[in-house]
Amino acid sequence: MAMLLYPEKSIRYLYEVGNYGGIRRAAEALDVDPAAISRQLSQLAREMQLPLLERRGRNVVLTEAGKLLAEDYAHTHQRRSQLDRQLKDLRHKRGGSIKLRVGQGMVDEVVRHVLQPFSRTYPDVFIDILSGDMQTTVSLIAKGDVDMAVGFGPIGPPGLKCLSFHRGPICAVVHSHHPIADFPQIEVAELVNYSLIGMDKNFGIQSYMNAMFSQEGFIFSPAYSCNLFSSAIALSQAGMGIAFMTAKVVEDDLIAKNLVTVPIQHRIARESQCHLLRSADHRFTPAAQHLWQLLVTFFEGTAGAV
C-alpha cells in the first residue's frame, strides 16, 4: 500500500490510542464510539499486514510499526498546522506573522529597541507577543507554537538554539525608606532578616534566588509570592517587602515609584543571564530572520554574549 493511500483518520485514531494508552480513553477524548476506533484500527492492521497494537496489563501500547505511523502523523500534523497558520496570515497580512515570547521583565525594552525598528522595515507583519515563564516557553518552541523567545534563567535549555547574554546584577528592590535602601550591596545572609517577595517557581529570577540561598545554607522563604513582576513591584513600593529583579527591569520605575536597587553580593547575582531561543530545525521567513538578528544585535549591545 502506497503511503499516500494510508487513511488519515485511522492513523489519527492510532496516534490518540498511543497517546491515551487505550481505545476507550482515546474514544472519550475524541467523542467517538470505541467500536468505531477498534474497527478502523483492525482494518488498518490488515491492510498493513502488521500488528499495530499490543496489550500490556490494562493498557494498550503501540508496536514498532504503530509507533512509526503515529510519529509520522504527529510530524505531518505539525507541518500542516504551521502551513495553515501561514496561509491564514497571508490572507489577512501580506507579510505573514511571527510568534514571539518575551519574559515579563524584558517586554518594555524589546518593544522599544527591537519591535519599533522591525515594524518600520516590515510594517505588514503581524506579531503575536506572548509572555510567561521559561519552562512553558521551551515547551512551546519545541512544539512549534512559538517562533522565537527571550527568556531569563540560570542556564540555556537543551535541545534549542540558544544565545546567552549577561543580564546581572540581580538586585534587592525596595522602597527608598526601607532599612536596606542605603546599603551599597547586601549579602544573602542579611536578606533572611527581612520580609521577602518571591516569584512563581517557574520564573528564572526565582531559580536564581533559590540557588543563591541554597549555596549560602538558607531556604528562600517569602512572605509573598507573585506571578507578575508588576505585583512584586507594587508590594515593594508599598514597603511590604524586598522584591528581586535585575536593575534593567525596574530602571524606569525607580524615580517614579520611589524605588531603590541594592545589588546582591553573590557570584550568581553578578552572572545572571538572559537567553534568545529558537528551534534548531525551524526555518525562518526573511521577516523572522530579521527580527531574530535585531534581538541578537540589541542584547549584544547591552550585555555582551556569553
Side-chain angles (χ1 to χ4, degrees):
M1 179 183 251
M3 189 62 174
L4 290 175
L5 299 179
Y6 288 170
E8 185 172 345
K9 181 186 287 187
S10 297
I11 297 176
R12 182 198 177 195
Y13 287 163
L14 182 68
Y15 169 81
E16 297 296 353
V17 168
N19 230 14
Y20 288 99
I23 291 175
R24 186 167 296 279
R25 286 195 287 272
E28 290 174 356
L30 297 171
D31 195 22
V32 175
D33 184 358
I37 293 181
S38 184
R39 283 195 303 272
Q40 296 231 20
L41 295 186
S42 295
Q43 177 65 23
L44 180 61
R46 284 194 297 271
E47 293 173 351
M48 292 288 301
Q49 299 181 2
L50 286 168
L52 302 176
L53 298 172
E54 61 183 11
R55 184 166 293 281
R56 289 186 186 170
R58 295 184 176 182
N59 293 332
V60 172
V61 299
L62 304 186
T63 63
E64 286 304 309
K67 288 177 183 176
L68 287 173
L69 286 172
E71 287 171 4
D72 180 77
Y73 170 82
H75 293 152
T76 301
H77 177 70
Q78 184 177 15
R79 288 195 300 271
R80 287 181 180 174
S81 296
Q82 183 178 1
L83 175 62
D84 180 64
R85 178 165 64 88
Q86 291 172 338
L87 292 174
K88 188 182 298 180
D89 291 334
L90 288 172
R91 280 195 290 270
H92 301 286
K93 293 283 183 180
R94 287 177 295 158
S97 70
I98 299 171
K99 283 196 173 182
L100 171 66
R101 191 169 167 95
V102 185
Q104 284 185 26
M106 293 175 280
V107 173
D108 286 347
E109 58 191 302
V110 168
V111 169
R112 287 199 309 269
H113 301 291
V114 177
L115 294 184
Q116 276 190 338
F118 174 83
S119 67
R120 289 194 289 268
T121 305
Y122 288 93
D124 296 324
V125 172
F126 171 76
I127 301 180
D128 189 0
I129 305 172
L130 309 168
S131 188
D133 62 87
M134 174 77 86
Q135 183 176 325
T136 305
T137 295
V138 171
S139 175
L140 290 172
I141 292 177
K143 290 193 298 184
D145 291 337
V146 166
D147 294 303
M148 65 189 77
V150 183
F152 181 75
I155 58 172
L160 300 178
K161 182 173 182 179
C162 176
L163 299 178
S164 299
F165 304 87
H166 287 301
R167 187 70 178 173
I170 296 174
C171 300
V173 181
V174 296
H175 189 274
S176 58
H177 294 152
H178 193 279
I180 73 165
D182 293 328
F183 287 21
Q185 59 188 22
I186 189 165
E187 303 273 351
V188 170
E190 295 175 282
L191 288 171
V192 300
N193 298 316
Y194 300 96
S195 294
L196 308 180
I197 303 166
M199 300 302 296
D200 183 89
K201 64 180 180 180
N202 292 326
F203 277 64
I205 189 70
Q206 194 57 50
S207 297
Y208 278 126
M209 296 309 303
N210 292 343
M212 281 188 274
F213 272 63
S214 177
Q215 280 195 10
E216 299 304 313
F218 298 102
I219 296 175
F220 187 89
S221 301
Y224 308 93
S225 182
C226 310
N227 67 351
L228 293 173
F229 280 120
S230 57
S231 300
I233 290 173
L235 287 166
S236 181
Q237 184 186 16
M240 298 174 67
I242 302 175
F244 300 97
M245 300 170 200
T246 62
K248 295 178 185 295
V249 174
V250 291
E251 59 186 6
D252 291 337
D253 290 324
L254 294 180
I255 297 176
K257 297 187 177 180
N258 211 20
L259 295 174
V260 173
T261 56
V262 180
I264 299 174
Q265 181 57 29
H266 196 282
R267 177 188 58 81
I268 290 177
R270 292 191 298 271
E271 298 176 1
S272 69
Q273 298 177 8
C274 68
H275 312 284
L276 300 186
L277 309 168
R278 59 181 285 188
S279 171
D281 56 4
H282 178 55
R283 252 181 116 175
F284 276 168
T285 63
Q289 184 60 46
H290 182 65
L291 179 58
W292 174 262
Q293 191 54 53
L294 286 176
L295 286 166
V296 172
T297 301
F298 170 68
F299 282 102
E300 280 180 343
T302 58
V306 177

